[in-house]
Amino acid sequence: MAGLWVRRRQLALLAKRSLPTSLQIRHHDAEDLTLLELTGGTNLRNCTPEEYRSLRELYISYERYAAVGNDIQLTLKERDANELIMCEKKREYEKGIMDPTKFTPGYHFFEVVLHKIKKSPLFHMLRKMPKGGALMVLDTSICSVDYVISLTYRENLWVCTKDNGCNVVEFRFSQDKPKVAQEPDCEWQPMEKLREYRGEENLKKYLRVRLSMFPLSSFRTNDHAWDHLMEIFTLVKGLLHYADVWGDYFYNALEEFYADGVQYLEVRSMVPKLYCLDGSLLPERITIKIYKETLERFKKDNPGFIGCNLIYAPFRHITPEELTKHIDICTELNKEYPGFVVGFDLVGQEDRDHPLSGFVEQLLKLPDNINFFFHAGQTNWYGSHVDANLVDAILLGTRRISHGYTITKHPLLMRMAKYLNIAIEVCPVSNQVLQLGSDYRNHPAATLIAENVPMVISSANPAFWRANPLSHDIYMAFLGIAPMNADLKFLKRTAKNSLRYSSLKDEAKAAGMEKWKKEWDEWIDAIVEEKNKDKGEYCSERNKD
C-alpha cells in the first residue's frame, strides 16, 4: 500500500505543478486536489506537452486505483502468478481487439460454452481458483443436468407424458400409478417403460434439452426466457422434492461446487414440503433437517469446506396474506435452526408486478435477527415500478442486492449501496441468458467495478445453462466485464468479498478466511510452479498461436 500511496502522491505533485498558482495556494496537500481542479479549470489545450502527459497519466492512474481490487497488495509469489494470469488474459483480449469474432465474451454463452471456453488456458486457471463463496444460487438449479438425469433411474419413478410419449411434463415417485397430474391430459407410465419405448440414448438427449435452456440463445422477449426457466423449475419439482432424493441432490451439489473451487454457499430456497412414496407431505422443518444433516456429513468428508447458510425465498407473485404465512414459517425455522436459516428474499421475475413496495407492511414484521437479501433491479426497465424495487430494498435494510442490473442507472442508489456497504450479487451468465444483455462488455457491473461498489460474483441457476457452478461467471466477469488491466487483485478481492459479505458471524468468517487462504496459497504455488517449468517461455510460446 505504501508504494501505491507514493506513486499517487508523485502524480498529484506533477499535476499540481501544472496548475495555476491560485489553486496551488488553496491546497497544501496535493492529494486534496479534485479532478476538476487538476484540469486547472481551463482548456487543457493551454497545457504544455509535458503537463498534458503528466495529467493524462494521473487520470489513467486515478481511474485504475479507484476500481475494485485497488486495496489488495500482492505477495511476491502472487505477483509471479499474476504475470502468467495476465499474459493469458491479455492474449485473449488483444486477439479480440484484432479480430472481434475471436473474443469469447462478445458471444452468447451458449455459442461458446462447449468449445471456445474449454480451450482457454485462462479459463483452466480460473476453474482451479479458490473462489470463496457463491452467495446467490437457487437450490433446485445447482446440480448438473447429467446428475438430474441419473435420478430418473431410481425405483418407483413415474412420468406423465403427452403427444404419445414425446413430451414429458411431470415426474413423480410412487408405489402405485399416480391419480392426479399438473396437466389433466397427460398419461402416467413407469419411467422404465418410457425409456424402453423411446430408447435410452434418445431419451437422455431429450432430457438434456428439456432440463436446461441450452441451446436457445435468443428469445422473442425477456418474458419468454423467464417462461422457459420456470418450465424447468416445474419439471424438476417432482424429481427433487421426493424426500429420499432431496439430501442426495444437495450432497452432490456441494460436491460439484467444491470441485469448482467454491468453499461456501448461501442457498435461496422455498423450503418445499417434501413428499414420501405414499404421497404424504412432510413439514418444512424436515426439509431443513435434511439440509443440515447432509451439510454436516459433507463437511466431515471435506474438512476444507467452510459451510452453507440458507435464505428463505418464496416466489414474489403472491398475495400479502400468503406472504404473512411465509414470514411465519421463516420465523419458526429460524428459531429451530438459528445458525442456518438466516435470511429472507422474494424471488421470481420482477417485470410481472408484485413490487416490494406492496409488501412493506408484512416484511417489517420479520424479526430483526433475520436479514433481508433482496432480488432487485433484475430488469432492463428504467424509472418504472420494476426498478423501483432497488429503492425499497435499500430502505428495508437489505444486506445484499441480487443482480441489481439497473442500479447503475440510479447514481444515488449506487452511492447509497457503497456508503451502506451493500454488496451487489452479480450473475453475468444468468443476466445474458434471461435476455438482459447480449455482450458481456456492455454489462452494467463494469460501472460497479470502476466505482468500487461492493460486489460479489455468483451464478444463480448454473445447471440450467450447463455452466460450471461458478467458473464460467468468474471467467466472463474477469475477461468480459472488468477492464483489461484488472488482474489478480480483482480476483482476490471478489473472492474475499464473497466471505466478507456473507451471512457468517465474525468468528466463522475468520475461520472461513483461513480455509480459503490455505487453498488460495496452494493455487498460487501451482501457477508459479507451472510458470517456472516453462522457464519464462510459457507466454511467448502461447502467443504464437
Side-chain angles (χ1 to χ4, degrees):
M1 184 62 74
L4 173 62
W5 183 86
V6 169
R7 181 60 179 151
R8 291 179 70 175
R9 185 174 179 81
Q10 288 174 340
L11 290 169
L13 288 170
L14 278 172
K16 186 176 181 180
R17 284 199 292 269
S18 68
L19 298 181
T21 304
S22 59
L23 277 178
Q24 294 184 36
I25 293 172
R26 285 166 51 192
H27 295 282
H28 298 291
D29 190 335
E31 291 212 325
D32 289 340
L33 294 168
T34 66
L35 284 179
L36 179 61
E37 290 170 339
L38 288 176
T39 67
T42 59
N43 194 320
L44 288 178
R45 293 177 64 178
N46 295 329
C47 293
T48 66
E50 181 180 303
E51 291 169 344
Y52 184 90
R53 285 192 294 271
S54 297
L55 285 171
R56 184 178 188 277
E57 185 179 356
L58 175 63
Y59 271 68
I60 293 172
S61 299
Y62 186 96
E63 184 177 80
R64 183 181 303 171
Y65 294 144
V68 169
N70 73 87
D71 60 321
I72 294 290
Q73 291 298 297
L74 301 180
T75 66
L76 290 177
K77 273 194 175 180
E78 286 173 335
R79 292 179 190 176
D80 209 8
N82 192 41
E83 289 182 5
L84 182 55
I85 292 170
M86 291 305 291
C87 164
E88 290 300 346
K89 179 179 180 178
K90 289 179 179 178
R91 175 174 172 267
E92 293 197 34
Y93 219 99
E94 290 166 0
K95 185 187 293 185
I97 291 175
M98 294 296 294
D99 182 356
T101 65
K102 295 182 178 179
F103 191 59
T104 303
Y107 287 86
H108 191 283
F109 182 69
F110 291 160
E111 297 173 347
V112 298
V113 64
L114 295 180
H115 48 285
K116 288 187 179 180
I117 294 180
K118 287 185 176 180
K119 296 176 182 178
S120 164
L122 175 64
F123 175 73
H124 283 286
M125 280 190 282
L126 297 180
R127 185 172 56 82
K128 297 174 183 177
M129 183 186 102
K131 302 168 181 63
L135 301 187
M136 212 301 278
V137 292
L138 283 81
D139 59 354
T140 54
S141 61
I142 53 178
C143 266
S144 62
V145 170
D146 288 338
Y147 178 78
V148 175
I149 291 175
S150 75
L151 296 175
T152 65
Y153 286 85
R154 297 204 174 189
E155 293 181 349
N156 300 307
L157 180 62
W158 294 75
V159 58
C160 208
T161 65
K162 298 168 64 175
D163 305 322
N164 196 27
C166 292
N167 185 12
V168 174
V169 296
E170 187 176 356
F171 294 101
R172 186 80 178 178
F173 286 94
S174 178
Q175 287 179 330
D176 304 311
K177 183 177 179 178
K179 297 179 180 178
V180 295
Q182 294 177 10
E183 298 192 26
D185 55 344
C186 71
E187 297 182 2
W188 287 105
Q189 61 180 305
M191 186 65 190
E192 55 266 26
K193 184 178 178 181
L194 179 65
R195 187 171 284 115
E196 181 181 339
Y197 172 70
R198 294 194 56 172
E200 183 172 11
E201 290 306 313
N202 285 337
L203 186 56
K204 275 186 179 179
K205 289 178 182 178
Y206 168 78
L207 290 176
R208 281 179 64 80
V209 173
R210 284 286 279 117
L211 295 171
S212 77
M213 297 182 74
F214 182 90
L216 298 176
S217 59
S218 179
F219 294 88
R220 281 177 291 169
T221 66
N222 174 258
D223 283 355
H224 289 98
W226 269 96
D227 288 343
H228 193 163
L229 179 73
M230 297 313 299
E231 286 176 7
I232 303 173
F233 274 117
T234 301
L235 182 60
V236 300
K237 185 165 61 174
L239 267 178
L240 306 184
H241 290 191
Y242 178 46
D244 288 356
V245 164
W246 190 256
D248 294 342
Y249 178 89
F250 183 50
Y251 191 95
N252 186 79
L254 296 177
E255 281 189 322
E256 291 184 6
F257 272 79
Y258 193 32
D260 199 47
V262 178
Q263 294 170 267
Y264 176 76
L265 278 80
E266 290 196 359
V267 176
R268 257 74 164 195
S269 176
M270 296 180 188
V271 191
K273 290 184 176 181
L274 305 180
Y275 72 93
C276 301
L277 204 58
D278 61 4
S280 60
L281 296 177
L282 301 173
E284 291 90 348
R285 60 183 179 80
I286 300 300
T287 306
I288 300 298
K289 184 173 183 288
I290 294 174
Y291 259 134
K292 278 289 292 178
E293 290 176 349
T294 304
L295 175 61
E296 293 309 315
R297 180 161 57 92
F298 185 81
K299 288 173 68 176
K300 184 178 180 181
D301 295 341
N302 301 273
F305 191 75
I306 296 168
C308 174
N309 280 344
L310 183 138
I311 297 168
Y312 187 90
F315 273 124
R316 67 189 321 119
H317 307 127
I318 54 177
T319 65
E321 292 74 24
E322 289 172 320
L323 177 58
T324 296
K325 293 179 182 178
H326 283 297
I327 288 174
D328 291 341
I329 293 171
C330 181
T331 302
E332 290 303 312
L333 293 175
N334 171 262
K335 287 179 181 177
E336 190 167 354
Y337 298 94
F340 183 64
V341 179
V342 297
F344 190 89
D345 186 14
L346 291 170
V347 299
Q349 187 183 5
E350 293 178 69
D351 292 4
R352 292 182 173 175
D353 213 2
H354 296 82
L356 289 175
S357 59
F359 297 127
V360 171
E361 181 180 345
Q362 292 75 27
L363 291 169
L364 289 176
K365 294 177 182 178
L366 199 71
D368 290 341
N369 63 304
I370 302 175
N371 291 309
F372 290 129
F373 299 89
F374 284 126
H375 273 66
Q378 188 184 7
T379 181
N380 275 328
W381 295 110
Y382 178 28
S384 71
H385 70 278
V386 183
D387 55 327
N389 280 328
L390 288 164
V391 177
D392 298 294
I394 292 174
L395 291 178
L396 285 165
T398 191
R399 295 287 296 277
R400 299 193 304 267
I401 294 175
S402 289
H403 297 287
Y405 195 83
T406 55
I407 197 168
T408 57
K409 297 177 180 178
H410 302 274
L412 175 61
L413 298 181
M414 190 168 64
R415 289 197 295 271
M416 287 297 292
K418 185 173 182 178
Y419 177 75
L420 296 172
N421 224 18
I422 300 170
I424 313 300
E425 300 165 350
V426 178
C427 305
V429 179
S430 171
N431 296 155
Q432 187 190 50
V433 174
L434 292 179
Q435 304 289 290
L436 293 181
S438 59
D439 189 324
Y440 291 97
R441 290 169 293 184
N442 297 328
H443 196 287
T447 302
L448 302 180
I449 294 169
E451 295 289 339
N452 199 14
V453 176
M455 59 171 284
V456 295
I457 300 170
S458 199
S459 52
N461 320 99
F464 288 179
W465 18 95
R466 299 192 196 175
N468 282 22
L470 191 53
S471 290
H472 285 110
D473 286 273
I474 294 287
Y475 173 83
M476 290 302 186
F478 185 56
L479 182 62
I481 302 176
M484 185 172 72
N485 56 34
D487 58 8
L488 188 60
K489 294 178 182 179
F490 172 81
L491 295 173
K492 190 173 184 179
R493 169 46 61 209
T494 54
K496 295 182 77 169
N497 276 357
S498 69
L499 297 178
R500 176 184 178 185
Y501 293 103
S502 73
S503 62
L504 290 169
K505 301 297 184 184
D506 289 345
E507 187 175 337
K509 279 184 184 178
M513 281 289 188
E514 286 300 314
K515 287 186 176 183
W516 168 80
K517 187 177 184 303
K518 180 179 182 297
E519 297 201 3
W520 175 271
D521 289 343
E522 291 171 357
W523 177 63
I524 293 296
D525 288 342
I527 293 178
V528 171
E529 183 179 351
E530 180 181 359
K531 179 171 177 281
N532 291 339
K533 273 195 302 187
D534 288 278
K535 299 179 180 178
E537 299 178 358
Y538 187 91
C539 286
S540 59
E541 288 300 312
R542 296 235 172 171
N543 281 322
K544 292 178 182 178
D545 295 347

